[in-house]
Amino acid sequence: MRALLADVWASPTGRIGMVLTAAILLFITFGPLVTPNPNLLAVQAKFLPPSLAHPMGTDNLGRDLLARAAQGTRAAVLIAVAVVALSSVIGALLGVIAGLLGGWIDRAILIIFDIISAYPPVILAMGIVALYGTGASNLLLVVTILFLPQFGRMARAQTLSLRNQPFVDAERILGLGTARLVTRHLLPNVVGPLIVLASMNVPVVITIEAGLSFLGLGVQPPQASLGTLIKDGYIYLDQSWWPTIGAAAILAITTLGATLFGEALRDASDPKRKGGFQ
Amino acid sequence: MSVDPGAGVILSDLRVRFATRAGSYASVRDVGLTIGSGRILGLVGESGSGKSTVALALLGLLAANATVETGSLQIGPDTYDLATPGAVTALRGRKIAMVFQDPFTALNPVFTIRAHLEEGLSRREPGLARAEKQARMVQALADVGLDQPTQRLAQYPHHLSGGMRQRVAIAMALLAKPDLLIADEPTTALDATVEAQVMQQICALRDRIGCSVLLITHSLGLVTGYCDDIAVMYAGEIMEHGPVARVAASPKHPYTKALLACEIGIDEPRNPDARTTRFRIIRGDLPDPLHLPTGCIFAPRCDFVIAACTLSPPPLIAQPDAPDHLVRCLRAGEVT
Amino acid sequence: MTEASITVTDARVSFGRVQVLKGVSLLVPAGTCFGIIGESGSGKTTLIRAILGLQRLQSGQILLSGKPLQPGRTGARLRAMTVQAILQDSTASLSPRRRIGQLLDEVSEVLAEPKDATRARAAALFDRLGIPAAVTDKYAHQISGGQARRVCVARALLMRPRVLIADEPTAGLDVSVQGDLLNLLQEIRVEHNLTLVVVSHNLAVIRQIADQAAVMCRGEVAEVGDAAQVFDAPQSDYARSLLAAWPRLHKPANL
């Protein structure tokens, strides 16, 4: 893992991704501690341009935008990490079981994946929100389900190639049961590529969260989200342009950093992309 | 290296350097081979001996982290400098043909047998009439012993067994009419009965077009069975080079002698109590290519080692009674 | 006649429409070395996979030490305590993400033996087989091929099996080291009173170490009997052609 991160650092885009990701992590960890209460109303101070007291200015209710951006980014990153963690773990388990056992279990799991992939994400999200209401937990559920097939299919493909490896036979010959075979010998070999896929999916989830929140289907007020910040700023664009630009810039930096980092991680973990060195 | 005027192909002073994370080292050092026209030279060596690197250097197909430092290839009257990038590219498919180890990947699965044969034929003899081309290809497949050659042309590689695919590869070589055929472990993936058939086809091809054949193998059985000359490689150097009949009957290098002793013969007497049967091995491991011994590279594993062996690398020199039998050992005269 | 260690009766296996085992019957007497030879596609690998419980039979029966094996976990455990195997590629048959010591600990789980007891037996075996003790802290890719082969042998022996199956023990090995594993098998065979089943395409090896040998061809047993008989006076045409095709050393060059 350490060598992998060193390889990421060695590539120029990977280094940019690592720096941006580290900056965002610092921002969401310490941002809420050093900024004012993001929900503190101050109507007399609305639409203030950026200043020392309010580095990103204030919104239509006089709330500090830097504080709201920190809160929103933190929510977005936490949701993204939770979604990716949940869907990768559940997806990996389903995928390994499908690949190892084969037969009708394999077919049933694949059909479930196909059904999920067949729905356009936003339509599916709208449907679930219409049925169960809006909110962060429903958003989490929707996006987790949406991402299951990707992780599941990858874990299944990995397992299919592992299944014929001599060590799987060797463990069976030793008398090891299926549960131990999966948890001890198969999952650890699937984890590497899954982590890479997960890191590449974090920015995708952040964008989806922002999009759904922009549409009012995600995080609900007064809780801040990058999506709602952009939307609120958009409504008052004629009175102040900085709320939209600021929130959009943070969204761009977050997704760009995570994407560059994920891509560099993928390249570094793929032996075929490294030169001819033995 | 003594130059035999009648030799078809002479490789001399081949030195290949590999760059790795741990450092760079010469994996093949001062390798010379002499293959007379119409003769088969068996290049024998164990894993890590560098025998496949020699083949890839001859074809200009080395990996990106390998460079040919020195080496020249003489084919008939022409000499090519292997250290010049691209020097042998034009020779592939014309003067040099190749039969690879894995018959399952050496043919392109999306092309028919006809496409494989046609490619080489069109390079060798452009502007050949269609009917003539067809006749040549059918004849080539028949020559390597494939039944229904006309129908085979329309088939894809996956329709054929491993042995049949190697026959197609030999047919491709036959159409290219090379001066040098390189066969890199051509039968390793095949069963013994098929192995014999494929080797007979390689011999037949040699007889038909009179080319020199370089057979790269780890099997001494194949070399003593089918080759005229033998070259034994160990850790990147030629240890012994000479006529098979001579070398197999009385090896002059301790490594050759040990290798021959390790081979388990099918006709050797059988121990009445099988439980007590034991096999010979060569003790020790290959030297680390980054830290080669100062003297003879085989000295740490050698049964004949003396103090002088560890001082400086012994030269490859001709035996007093046979100028074509070269041995890299100080005690060659004493090995019996 | 001694007791039978493995009895295979009319074993049949098909993959799709291809019959891989067409009714194979074999009897491996306890305490002998039984060689199974055949070319690729002969069904020898499928046969031993069936004996090891990795391949289900369509029909027929396999008895280990006279007893049929029960399906499920108990059956798998009993089978593992009776028959163990060394696969062709030793390094690849050690799970890549677990340390050698962790792989040895699995033996104690399957045997329901205290970890310390297994480790103590492993230490003694490592000593006997010449494996450095430090190997237990390493991963498969960090040890040499020779050490990996010995670790696989040690792990199999820790199960205290009565039968040891060696699948293509010399395939992919250089001539200078193939004898190393064969000598080891010969020694442990006597020391642990094992029935040894060696599956190989290498006729010369089987001829030297087997008491009895079976020649398989296209899913059937072409010939079976005492090794001396099978190799020196083969009865079947197939065995004769196989022996004739085997490359011979010192044969005069192709003149």
Side-chain angles (χ1 to χ4, degrees):
Chain A
M1 198 68 205
R2 201 177 205 158
L4 206 61
L5 289 181
D7 278 351
V8 171
W9 185 248
S11 90
T13 53
R15 191 175 299 192
I16 295 171
M18 254 174 134
V19 168
L20 292 182
T21 307
I24 292 297
L25 288 179
L26 285 175
F27 179 55
I28 63 166
T29 313
F30 298 108
L33 301 177
V34 297
T35 52
N37 181 350
N39 295 326
L40 186 73
L41 299 183
V43 186
Q44 71 283 8
K46 67 179 180 182
F47 299 133
L48 286 183
S51 65
L52 265 183
H54 304 287
M56 283 176 67
T58 60
D59 68 358
N60 58 320
L61 298 173
R63 293 175 294 196
D64 181 62
L65 278 171
L66 183 68
R68 292 189 64 73
Q71 190 191 36
T73 313
R74 174 188 267 191
V77 171
L78 287 182
I79 288 176
V81 169
V83 161
V84 165
L86 268 177
S87 56
S88 60
V89 168
I90 301 172
L93 218 63
L94 286 173
V96 168
I97 290 171
L100 186 67
L101 300 183
W104 67 268
I105 298 175
D106 185 27
R107 282 198 293 278
I109 290 175
L110 279 182
I111 286 172
I112 295 172
F113 288 165
D114 284 344
I115 290 172
I116 296 171
S117 319
Y119 280 98
V122 176
I123 308 281
L124 186 66
M126 280 179 166
I128 289 192
V129 168
L131 280 174
Y132 302 105
T134 55
S137 58
N138 281 342
L139 184 74
L140 198 98
L141 181 77
V142 173
V143 189
T144 301
I145 294 174
L146 279 178
F147 277 82
L148 275 184
Q150 272 197 48
F151 291 106
R153 288 211 184 93
M154 171 174 247
R156 178 175 173 274
Q158 289 279 325
T159 308
L160 284 180
S161 69
L162 284 172
R163 194 170 69 170
N164 296 322
Q165 293 278 313
F167 76 85
V168 175
D169 280 345
E171 296 300 331
R172 289 254 190 232
I173 291 168
L174 198 78
L176 212 70
T178 304
R180 280 182 178 153
L181 187 67
V182 169
T183 54
R184 257 189 226 160
H185 300 284
L186 294 178
L187 278 179
N189 287 291
V190 173
V191 163
L194 274 181
I195 286 178
V196 173
L197 183 65
S199 73
M200 296 195 62
N201 272 330
V202 165
V204 182
V205 179
I206 290 175
T207 318
I208 289 180
E209 185 272 331
L212 290 176
S213 297
F214 184 89
L215 294 172
L217 300 173
V219 173
Q220 293 301 302
Q223 165 79 29
S225 147
L226 289 174
T228 52
L229 285 184
I230 294 173
K231 187 177 104 183
D232 292 349
Y234 176 69
I235 292 170
Y236 301 104
L237 200 59
D238 51 342
Q239 289 162 65
S240 63
W241 52 268
W242 50 89
T244 313
I245 298 294
I250 289 179
L251 179 65
I253 290 171
T254 311
T255 51
L256 183 70
T259 306
L260 291 179
F261 181 65
E263 280 180 352
L265 199 61
R266 178 198 61 199
D267 293 351
S269 70
D270 186 349
K272 278 178 249 160
R273 282 170 192 265
K274 291 185 200 170
F277 292 96
Q278 291 159 345
Chain B
M1 185 96 214
S2 70
V3 176
D4 174 6
V9 175
I10 299 171
L11 168 73
S12 31
D13 300 326
L14 179 66
R15 193 177 176 87
V16 180
R17 182 165 286 278
F18 272 84
T20 68
R21 286 190 177 195
S24 91
Y25 61 90
S27 74
V28 165
R29 298 176 300 280
D30 310 321
V31 164
L33 299 170
T34 306
I35 318 170
S37 293
R39 287 175 82 85
I40 304 184
L41 172 80
L43 180 59
V44 195
E46 300 191 285
S47 39
S49 63
K51 58 187 191 299
S52 286
T53 306
V54 171
L56 294 175
L58 284 173
L59 291 162
L61 292 176
L62 284 168
N65 62 331
T67 43
V68 176
E69 291 191 323
T70 59
S72 69
L73 177 66
Q74 190 184 328
I75 300 180
D78 307 317
T79 304
Y80 305 90
D81 180 12
L82 294 173
T84 314
V88 284
T89 315
L91 301 182
R92 294 202 297 254
R94 292 197 175 91
K95 293 204 162 178
I96 306 179
M98 176 89 182
V99 176
F100 287 96
Q101 171 173 355
D102 191 347
F104 297 93
T105 54
L107 301 181
N108 191 330
V110 300
F111 290 122
T112 56
I113 304 306
R114 175 195 299 277
H116 282 95
L117 295 174
E118 215 162 30
E119 195 186 2
L121 192 57
S122 305
R123 275 191 85 179
R124 179 85 200 177
E125 293 175 60
L128 212 59
R130 257 185 89 138
E132 173 66 13
K133 238 192 232 176
Q134 168 86 6
R136 293 263 200 105
M137 290 190 288
V138 170
Q139 187 56 44
L141 288 181
D143 284 345
V144 295
L146 276 174
D147 60 334
Q148 301 174 293
T150 316
Q151 285 89 319
R152 297 277 176 214
L153 284 176
Q155 289 187 320
Y156 285 89
H158 70 264
H159 292 126
L160 307 182
S161 69
M164 288 158 118
R165 286 181 221 203
Q166 282 308 49
R167 286 168 193 258
V168 170
I170 297 167
M172 288 164 69
L174 188 64
L175 288 173
K177 290 209 181 69
D179 296 293
L180 171 64
L181 173 71
I182 301 176
D184 187 1
E185 302 270 10
T187 61
T188 304
L190 305 176
D191 287 319
T193 47
V194 187
E195 172 177 86
Q197 295 160 6
V198 168
M199 283 313 302
Q200 281 155 12
Q201 288 306 329
I202 289 179
C203 293
L205 172 119
R206 181 264 322 253
D207 295 340
R208 204 169 280 133
I209 59 180
C211 62
S212 307
V213 180
L214 175 60
L215 173 73
I216 294 169
T217 179
H218 64 276
S219 163
L220 281 164
L222 274 192
V223 174
T224 54
Y226 297 97
C227 295
D228 307 298
D229 298 295
I230 181 172
V232 181
M233 253 185 115
Y234 174 78
E237 291 174 21
I238 297 285
M239 297 279 118
E240 189 159 4
H241 187 311
V244 165
R246 226 187 118 91
V247 175
S250 73
K252 291 296 171 200
H253 195 285
Y255 177 61
T256 315
K257 186 177 152 71
L259 266 188
L260 283 163
C262 285
E263 196 82 26
I264 304 164
I266 192 85
D267 298 323
E268 274 172 43
R270 210 178 153 265
N271 200 331
D273 182 0
R275 274 180 300 182
T276 56
T277 305
R278 292 293 181 273
F279 301 90
R280 277 177 203 252
I281 59 165
I282 302 179
R283 66 190 161 81
D285 293 307
L286 272 178
D288 178 355
L290 289 165
H291 308 97
L292 289 177
T294 43
C296 171
I297 50 168
F298 187 63
R301 304 175 75 179
C302 185
D303 291 333
F304 293 82
V305 66
I306 51 171
C309 296
T310 57
L311 296 179
S312 63
L316 184 69
I317 43 174
Q319 286 300 98
D321 56 336
D324 57 348
H325 187 179
L326 309 168
V327 185
R328 190 187 294 280
C329 181
L330 296 178
R331 304 189 67 194
E334 300 161 64
V335 176
T336 45
Chain C
M1 193 69 194
T2 47
E3 59 161 323
S5 211
I6 304 175
T7 317
V8 180
T9 320
D10 198 31
R12 284 167 197 276
V13 171
S14 303
F15 296 145
R17 268 186 228 160
V18 186
Q19 274 186 286
V20 189
L21 291 184
K22 304 172 185 166
V24 169
S25 297
L26 276 181
L27 193 150
V28 179
T32 61
C33 176
F34 193 91
I36 301 177
I37 52 182
E39 300 187 298
S40 44
S42 64
K44 59 188 195 305
T45 304
T46 309
L47 175 65
I48 61 149
R49 286 181 66 84
I51 295 171
L52 289 164
L54 300 172
Q55 173 65 51
R56 202 175 296 231
L57 291 183
Q58 259 138 10
S59 68
Q61 196 182 33
I62 293 175
L63 305 180
L64 293 179
S65 301
K67 291 185 285 284
L69 280 160
Q70 309 304 318
R73 290 291 303 129
T74 329
R77 189 166 164 264
L78 275 176
R79 186 198 302 267
M81 290 163 69
T82 313
V83 48
Q84 278 296 309
I86 300 155
L87 304 179
Q88 185 178 330
D89 186 343
S90 300
T91 306
S93 52
L94 296 169
S95 187
R97 307 279 172 128
R98 311 281 294 174
R99 291 176 200 278
I100 303 300
Q102 293 175 311
L103 294 176
L104 296 175
D105 288 342
E106 291 184 332
V107 172
S108 69
E109 284 173 21
V110 177
L111 291 180
E113 180 185 55
K115 228 177 226 181
D116 295 344
T118 310
R119 284 273 178 137
R121 289 200 295 128
L125 257 178
F126 271 34
D127 195 38
R128 162 67 187 87
L129 301 182
I131 312 169
V135 160
T136 48
D137 294 325
K138 295 189 176 165
Y139 292 97
H141 67 269
Q142 295 171 319
I143 63 178
S144 72
Q147 283 174 342
R149 282 193 288 282
R150 281 159 191 271
V151 166
C152 287
V153 172
R155 196 166 176 235
L157 289 180
L158 280 177
M159 293 293 293
R160 297 198 188 94
R162 303 173 67 175
V163 181
L164 186 65
I165 297 180
D167 184 16
E168 296 283 3
T170 60
L173 295 185
D174 285 322
V175 268
S176 69
V177 296
Q178 67 179 8
D180 184 50
L181 180 62
L182 294 173
N183 289 342
L184 186 66
L185 289 176
Q186 290 285 72
E187 288 163 19
I188 59 167
R189 174 188 167 195
V190 176
E191 284 168 29
H192 296 259
N193 196 21
L194 290 169
T195 305
L196 190 61
V197 177
V198 182
V199 182
S200 183
H201 69 278
N202 190 327
L203 309 180
V205 166
I206 299 289
R207 181 170 174 275
Q208 289 297 334
I209 65 171
D211 302 310
Q212 295 205 2
V215 182
M216 289 191 66
C217 175
R218 290 176 195 171
E220 288 172 296
V221 176
E223 181 159 354
V224 61
D226 283 340
Q229 164 86 34
V230 170
F231 284 99
D232 299 337
Q235 300 298 304
S236 64
D237 292 340
Y238 180 71
R240 270 197 290 271
S241 69
L242 209 55
L243 281 161
W246 192 253
R248 278 156 170 81
L249 217 51
H250 305 310
K251 201 171 98 175
N254 197 47
L255 297 171

